[in-house]
Amino acid sequence: MTMDLVDGLVRRIRRTPHLDAEARTQVAIVGAGACGLVAALMLHDAGIDCVLLERDAAPSGSTALSSGFVPAPATRAQRAQGILDDSPARFAADIQAKAHGRAAPALVQAYAEAIGPAIDALQERHGLDWIVLDNFLYPGHSRHRMHALPQKTGAALMASLQAAAEVAGIPVLTQALVDTLWLDDADRVVGIGYRRPDGREEQLACDALLLACNGFGGNAAMVRTLLPEMAEATFGGHAGNDGSAILWGEALGARLRDLGGYQGHGSWITPQGALMSWAVMMEGGMQINREGRRFHDETQGYSEAAVHVLAQPGGIAWNVFDAPLLALARGFPDFCEAEAAGALRRCDSVAQLAACIGCDAVALQATLATLHSRSAQPDGRVFTRGLAAPYFAVKVTGALFHTQGGLDIDADTRVLRQDGSPLPNLLAAGGAAGGVSGDAVWGYLSGNGLLSAIAGGAIAARTAAARIHANKDSHDE
């Protein structure tokens, strides 16, 4: 069975009782983003051999394009900063509250329990030096639990994970585009086939397979079908998000889940093309349309904000803030790069700000005046202070960053058939699998993507290691 993709290649499922490949590994991992690299590091720690296969010349994925912030409770880094009242149960409750109870309960619990130990293991065994962002709360989080490396970028997170994999001696095959999964008649994966840039086809036999190859945001046809409200949105994710895992799953008769879930972002700086931290909105910034008005409660979240922004005239809004909030924004490298590229506008008066936005100055003045009342806005938001000149503005649009639906998995990351039974040795995590955001854009809690990648990668490694050790023990008897 084959499924065609937008790159003109084919994703195949083929059958054979045994794959006679030149190379063999215990665990093959498709995708060397955060999910794949974390799984590989945890497998290495468990004494299990693995090989990462990456389609690009250098690992990157959606992680490198993100801010690199990972939510986790009860960690070593939290304790070091005096944050002592967080727990997996509290985190799980926050996840479900944001998703209105529509996230997969077993997976929410599994990820909430696994992410803290995974963050600690990456710090203690692989040198990732986490800090906790404790000067603001992202939408939906009841505690300061957003972890970052000191550089505060996804690129730095990817670089650190790659460096750790290199130190561990984990093989990473780049420019290896996996197009074929080989299974026996019992649906057990026996190996994979991959294509090199020169067209050569190679094979790798394995005892277990982890799909960590992300979602379908880069597949325009799938987005049009599954996420029609994002069909015309800017795609801010990685081109490798081509839907391979879903198409392989369909060919295998696997169950899919939450395909309507995704992370949007209502603060995609245009035309520079970068994410602006939502911390500015949470701490008192606002979004203004070309009519000089606010149009939603910004504190509900940056994911659903994408839909609100795209509904404005021209699909454009302006992030408006003042000097104290500019100082906050400059604490994020992505913003500094966008500012250097000319994204920031300074306006010394309301008239200048109105001219910048292209809106009526009277309407804008009325909007700004309401912030000083300290009473709830019509949408329910309460501003603790008004903005003061000079004003600063950044032009933004709504973007699709990555999808949150995919293969249905159990709490051990095993891929499930339509009847709910697990495939013998096929695992999926990160963007390849259904996440914990439910089936709508508003269900995305800040950090859910990297939560799924890192917690899912750690759980998948544990599941694969247990299976391989069990098989070894049975053969030794």
Side-chain angles (χ1 to χ4, degrees):
M1 180 178 292
T2 63
M3 299 293 289
D4 291 318
L5 278 177
V6 293
D7 57 14
L9 297 177
V10 173
R11 302 301 184 260
R12 303 183 181 91
I13 299 296
R14 289 184 171 173
R15 301 284 177 175
T16 182
H18 175 75
L19 187 63
D20 187 21
E22 293 184 4
R24 181 176 191 84
T25 188
Q26 289 177 300
V27 182
I29 303 173
V30 180
C35 180
L37 285 165
V38 168
L41 290 168
M42 300 301 176
L43 286 167
H44 172 268
D45 294 345
I48 302 295
D49 294 331
C50 66
V51 174
L52 285 152
L53 297 102
E54 169 59 45
R55 61 178 287 160
D56 294 337
S60 172
S62 295
T63 300
L65 300 173
S66 75
S67 298
F69 300 160
V70 188
T75 64
R76 175 180 171 182
Q78 277 184 314
R79 292 190 294 273
Q81 293 179 217
I83 304 166
L84 306 177
D85 59 347
D86 203 3
S87 68
R90 187 184 297 278
F91 184 26
D94 286 350
I95 294 171
Q96 282 290 18
K98 190 69 172 66
H100 298 186
R102 289 162 66 166
L107 207 56
V108 170
Q109 180 176 346
Y111 283 2
E113 292 176 352
I115 189 62
I119 288 292
D120 286 348
L122 290 170
Q123 182 169 10
E124 294 163 7
R125 300 201 294 260
H126 299 289
L128 275 71
D129 186 20
W130 301 104
I131 60 172
V132 180
L133 305 179
D134 58 5
N135 58 339
F136 64 92
L137 284 171
Y138 272 103
H141 288 281
S142 61
R143 294 295 184 273
H144 293 111
R145 62 170 70 102
M146 203 66 81
H147 292 65
L149 297 185
Q151 301 92 327
K152 299 181 184 176
T153 68
L157 175 57
M158 278 298 297
S160 294
L161 291 172
Q162 290 175 63
E166 185 175 349
V167 168
I170 298 169
V172 181
L173 301 183
T174 57
Q175 295 186 302
L177 199 159
V178 178
D179 58 9
T180 305
L181 308 188
W182 289 90
L183 289 84
D184 63 18
D185 288 338
D187 285 337
R188 185 177 66 90
V189 178
V190 296
I192 57 175
Y194 57 97
R195 189 183 299 268
R196 293 297 199 172
D198 62 4
R200 284 182 298 122
E201 295 184 7
E202 300 180 10
Q203 295 177 334
L204 175 68
C206 62
D207 298 319
L209 174 63
L210 168 60
L211 297 178
C213 45
N214 226 303
F216 62 89
N219 186 323
M222 292 181 73
V223 170
R224 282 194 300 271
T225 299
L226 299 171
L227 306 174
E229 71 272 26
M230 287 285 114
E232 304 302 323
T234 298
F235 177 54
H238 188 264
N241 290 255
D242 60 14
S244 293
I246 288 175
L247 296 175
W248 277 317
E250 287 182 326
L252 282 170
R255 199 160 67 189
L256 305 176
R257 180 170 55 79
D258 292 342
L259 295 182
Y262 62 96
Q263 183 207 332
H265 209 295
S267 194
W268 182 258
I269 301 173
T270 183
Q272 287 78 10
L275 294 177
M276 178 175 166
S277 172
W278 205 247
V280 174
M281 295 298 109
M282 296 301 294
E283 291 301 300
M286 60 179 178
Q287 291 198 306
I288 299 293
N289 63 17
R290 289 181 179 173
E291 297 173 348
R293 297 181 175 86
R294 292 179 57 248
F295 49 90
H296 71 119
D297 178 359
E298 298 90 341
T299 63
Q300 291 300 302
Y302 55 74
S303 185
E304 53 265 55
V307 178
H308 295 305
V309 170
L310 289 170
Q312 303 312 303
I316 293 296
W318 290 82
N319 291 351
V320 176
F321 46 100
D322 59 6
L325 295 171
L326 175 61
L328 174 64
R330 284 174 171 166
F332 297 90
D334 291 347
F335 179 86
C336 294
E337 292 176 7
E339 181 181 359
L344 183 67
R345 315 288 180 87
R346 175 185 170 123
C347 305
D348 291 320
S349 67
V350 174
Q352 287 184 14
L353 180 60
C356 175
I357 295 172
C359 67
D360 179 73
V362 174
L364 181 58
Q365 179 63 65
T367 298
L368 291 168
T370 63
L371 308 190
H372 294 273
S373 69
R374 305 290 180 89
S375 59
Q377 302 289 307
D379 56 29
R381 181 175 181 182
V382 176
F383 287 85
T384 59
R385 69 176 182 87
L387 300 181
Y391 304 103
F392 297 91
V394 173
K395 187 179 181 181
V396 299
T397 188
L400 169 64
F401 195 65
H402 59 75
T403 54
Q404 287 282 291
L407 299 172
D408 197 5
I409 58 173
D410 64 11
D412 295 317
T413 71
R414 299 180 298 175
V415 176
L416 302 177
R417 299 184 178 92
Q418 291 290 341
D419 63 4
S421 63
L423 289 157
N425 63 343
L426 178 61
L427 310 174
V436 290
S437 299
D439 58 358
V441 63
W442 40 256
Y444 184 86
L445 181 70
S446 302
N448 270 2
L450 279 171
L451 166 66
S452 296
I454 294 178
I459 294 171
R462 182 182 68 201
T463 300
R467 175 184 172 83
I468 289 167
H469 286 313
N471 287 344
K472 181 179 183 299
D473 291 342
S474 64
H475 291 152
D476 289 343
E477 292 177 357

